[in-house]
Amino acid sequence: MLTLTFMLALVSVAASIDMLNVCMDSKHHKVAPGPEGNLYQQCSPWKDNACCTADTSEHTHNDNSYLYNFNWSHCRVMTDACKKHFIQDTCFYECSPHLGPWIQTVVNPTWRRERFVDVPLCQEDCVTWWNDCKDDFTCKENWHKGWNWTSGHNECPAKAECRKFKEVFPTAQSMCEKIWSKSYKYTTYTKTSGKCIQMWFPQGQNPNRKVAEYYLNKAPSPGIPASLFSFSVVLLMLLI
Ligand SMILES: *[C@@H]1O[C@H](CO)[C@@H](O)[C@H](O)[C@H]1NC(C)=O
Ligand SMILES: *[C@@H]1O[C@H](CO)[C@@H](O)[C@H](O)[C@H]1NC(C)=O
């Protein structure tokens, strides 16, 4: 019995380590996180441990980059102040190794098998993003779907008129939650709380592993007990 408990403890430790340091199964992500010494500009905070390659990190900075052929300036040229948040958002998406608790399987996968959902973003990161973009223009609330892709990049669909961000998204919350169909969840937690995920942080000081750990311990994802359960069944059978 002691052996079983011990082995279960080991399995449990291994399972939680995975959840805290893992890359999504998506279009450009590495198979597993690791150091990337040459990450480019705004992606450089992840150099110590990243799910993105140097090549991906460079392309996140290009307009209409080959990564997704996505045109941020689909209405008017996006201001640099606004664009820096979308670059950071892309770096965060491609490079983050500590989003395990929020990774979900995509139900009808077209271009990726996994995504993240309801990542609790720190209030500062969401509010500064919205403030810097509120006078820029867009024609859509959900940037994940509904575009006209016939030209090879996203164009506004016929009936969607270009309006200011602050008209499409009246609040910072509506922008952060709707623009990537609930990838982010708005919170009133600040960066010092330890309870929210940061998109912006100094190089080599990724605070998000601790935050992921906090949420894992608070409300374990359904995946862990299930896998633990099957592990324990297998172990029991081996031991008997
Ligand atoms: C982005 O979209 C705008 C508006 O349709 C267009 O004028 C611009 O050329 C596009 N940018 C690229 C790089 O295709
Ligand atoms: C999609 O965009 C193309 C031009 O790139 C245009 O000819 C076509 O009418 C558009 N389709 C719709 C449904 O808006």
Side-chain angles (χ1 to χ4, degrees):
M1 197 54 211
L2 206 63
T3 324
L4 178 61
T5 316
F6 177 69
M7 292 185 82
L8 271 180
L10 272 185
V11 170
S12 150
V13 166
S16 26
I17 286 172
D18 270 352
M19 290 289 279
L20 290 174
N21 194 40
V22 65
C23 295
M24 278 193 294
D25 183 358
S26 186
K27 194 173 177 191
H28 302 289
H29 285 66
K30 290 164 33 178
V31 173
E36 288 292 335
N38 295 320
L39 292 190
Y40 193 68
Q41 294 185 3
Q42 283 183 235
C43 295
S44 60
W46 284 271
K47 276 183 182 179
D48 291 13
N49 191 30
C51 287
C52 56
T53 62
D55 189 49
T56 299
S57 75
E58 192 168 340
H59 283 95
T60 61
H61 293 69
N62 298 343
D63 289 337
N64 238 346
S65 85
Y66 92 100
L67 294 177
Y68 302 100
N69 290 317
F70 195 87
N71 184 355
W72 290 313
S73 302
H74 45 264
C75 281
R76 296 192 194 174
V77 178
M78 186 178 268
T79 60
D80 287 340
C82 175
K83 196 194 291 181
K84 74 174 195 283
H85 294 275
F86 282 94
I87 293 172
Q88 198 68 16
D89 165 59
T90 313
C91 286
F92 177 84
Y93 177 83
E94 300 294 345
C95 304
S96 291
H98 306 313
L99 300 176
W102 301 280
I103 294 177
Q104 292 190 6
T105 305
V106 173
V107 180
N108 293 309
T110 49
W111 55 276
R112 56 178 179 179
R113 277 193 282 272
E114 291 179 333
R115 59 167 299 194
F116 57 74
V117 175
D118 284 343
V119 167
L121 197 58
C122 290
Q123 189 179 34
E124 300 97 321
D125 283 353
C126 176
V127 168
T128 56
W129 185 358
W130 184 79
N131 271 329
D132 287 340
C133 292
K134 65 184 189 308
D135 292 318
D136 279 75
F137 285 81
T138 185
C139 54
K140 283 180 54 37
E141 193 180 65
N142 181 344
W143 287 17
H144 266 152
K145 48 183 166 188
W147 298 100
N148 178 349
W149 283 101
T150 50
S151 68
H153 59 252
N154 58 309
E155 286 180 14
C156 293
K159 281 181 194 152
E161 54 165 339
C162 291
R163 294 181 295 153
K164 284 194 173 179
F165 264 61
K166 64 186 176 194
E167 289 164 33
V168 175
F169 307 109
T171 60
Q173 175 169 6
S174 65
M175 184 196 74
C176 296
E177 294 186 350
K178 287 177 174 167
I179 198 162
W180 299 125
S181 46
K182 303 230 163 102
S183 294
Y184 297 112
K185 188 172 134 92
Y186 178 82
T187 75
T188 51
Y189 294 130
T190 56
K191 285 174 183 275
T192 52
S193 69
K195 295 179 181 174
C196 60
I197 291 287
Q198 299 182 37
M199 200 181 274
W200 297 87
F201 56 84
Q203 185 180 324
Q205 297 175 35
N206 193 332
N208 295 328
R209 185 187 166 102
K210 278 212 157 119
V211 179
E213 206 168 355
Y214 167 79
Y215 281 96
L216 266 186
N217 292 336
K218 186 171 153 249
S221 126
I224 286 186
S227 58
L228 264 184
F229 178 73
S230 49
F231 264 117
S232 47
V233 170
V234 170
L235 282 175
L236 258 177
M237 285 163 66
L238 284 176
L239 288 170
I240 290 169

